Amino acid sequence: MKDEIKKYSLVGTVKAVSISKKHTFSKKNQNIIKLVKGFGIEGDSHFGSTIKHRSRVAQNPDQPNLRQVHLIHSELFEELADRFHIEPGQMGENITTAGINLLELPADSVLFIGTSAVIQVTGLRNPCAQIDHFQPGLLKAVIDQDGGGNLIRKAGIMGVVLEGGEVKPGDEIRVELPPKPFKKLDRV
């Protein structure tokens, strides 16, 4: 039992699931989404084993898709609530979470969601100017600097699907941290 507690020391919840068949900034909430091993979320514009992000496809369409699933913690919306009104899916995330500070997870953390879906964290979402088209000033709000002048990206994390399965609001998220030394998340 102690090993299981250590293994899953972080536990959270799925607040919402969202997809968009087209490359739109925001995604529509769904009752359930289906994750497919090695490809991402069925019916989403980023579904595939190679990169689907339009600017990255233009650079090299054969890059592996390290951005199959986009997750944002709902606590970000609460943090920004005095200046912005943001609902789940509106910042382009597929899975909106609660209870886990996603930005503090090390690279290669593994998220077990619901009964069978498994996602490996690959890195941070790099917010772009499209965010300001959604709500002016939001880009500046999701980028910060730490005391050392290093850039902090708050617009969520990206991952790849290790095991497929269905994910829905209310599902539990269990986190398995990778072996130490931990690698800090960087943009992907």
Side-chain angles (χ1 to χ4, degrees), residues 25 53 56 67 70 72 76 91 103 123-132 138-144 151-158 186-188:
F25 180 75
H53 192 272
R56 306 240 174 133
R67 302 166 56 95
H70 177 200
I72 288 183
L76 175 66
M91 285 184 57
L103 303 177
L124 296 167
R125 174 188 182 191
N126 191 35
C128 67
Q130 284 187 359
I131 289 179
D132 277 342
L138 187 56
L139 179 61
K140 187 175 181 180
V142 298
I143 295 180
D144 206 351
L151 199 60
I152 299 172
R153 294 170 176 87
K154 300 181 185 179
I157 63 171
M158 308 304 281
D186 199 3
R187 68 186 178 101
V188 292

Side-chain angles (χ1 to χ4, degrees), residues 10-188:
L10 300 172
V11 178
T13 308
V14 174
K15 295 288 282 185
V17 294
S18 312
I19 64 171
S20 177
K21 293 177 196 256
K22 297 181 180 179
H23 285 280
T24 58
F25 180 75
S26 295
K27 297 180 185 279
K28 292 183 181 181
N29 292 162
Q30 307 292 311
N31 293 325
I32 196 164
I33 58 174
K34 183 177 179 185
L35 279 64
V36 178
K37 180 179 180 176
F39 288 89
I41 300 170
E42 191 172 89
D44 191 73
S45 61
H46 290 272
F47 185 80
S49 61
T50 57
I51 194 74
K52 301 300 175 202
H53 192 272
R54 290 183 292 186
S55 66
R56 306 240 174 133
V57 167
Q59 293 171 350
N60 176 1
D62 298 322
Q63 295 176 69
N65 188 1
L66 302 178
R67 302 166 56 95
Q68 294 173 3
V69 183
H70 177 200
L71 302 95
I72 288 183
H73 55 294
S74 61
E75 292 83 357
L76 175 66
F77 305 156
E78 295 165 17
E79 176 188 327
L80 301 174
D82 63 329
R83 298 168 283 162
F84 304 96
H85 178 78
I86 305 167
E87 296 289 330
Q90 288 185 324
M91 285 184 57
E93 77 275 13
N94 300 111
I95 301 174
T96 310
T97 69
I100 300 171
N101 186 341
L102 299 174
L103 303 177
E104 289 185 0
L105 294 176
D108 299 323
S109 293
V110 178
L111 310 177
F112 296 83
I113 306 177
T115 59
S116 59
V118 182
I119 297 171
Q120 183 175 32
V121 177
T122 56
L124 296 167
R125 174 188 182 191
N126 191 35
C128 67
Q130 284 187 359
I131 289 179
D132 277 342
H133 297 299
F134 169 62
Q135 289 189 37
L138 187 56
L139 179 61
K140 187 175 181 180
V142 298
I143 295 180
D144 206 351
Q145 286 190 342
D146 65 16
N150 299 307
L151 199 60
I152 299 172
R153 294 170 176 87
K154 300 181 185 179
I157 63 171
M158 308 304 281
V160 295
V161 180
L162 297 181
E163 293 296 332
E166 294 182 339
V167 175
K168 61 188 179 315
D171 280 350
E172 184 178 75
I173 304 168
R174 298 166 316 283
V175 179
E176 181 178 310
L177 298 175
K180 291 184 179 181
F182 294 149
K183 292 183 289 182
K184 189 176 178 182
L185 290 177
D186 199 3
R187 68 186 178 101
V188 292

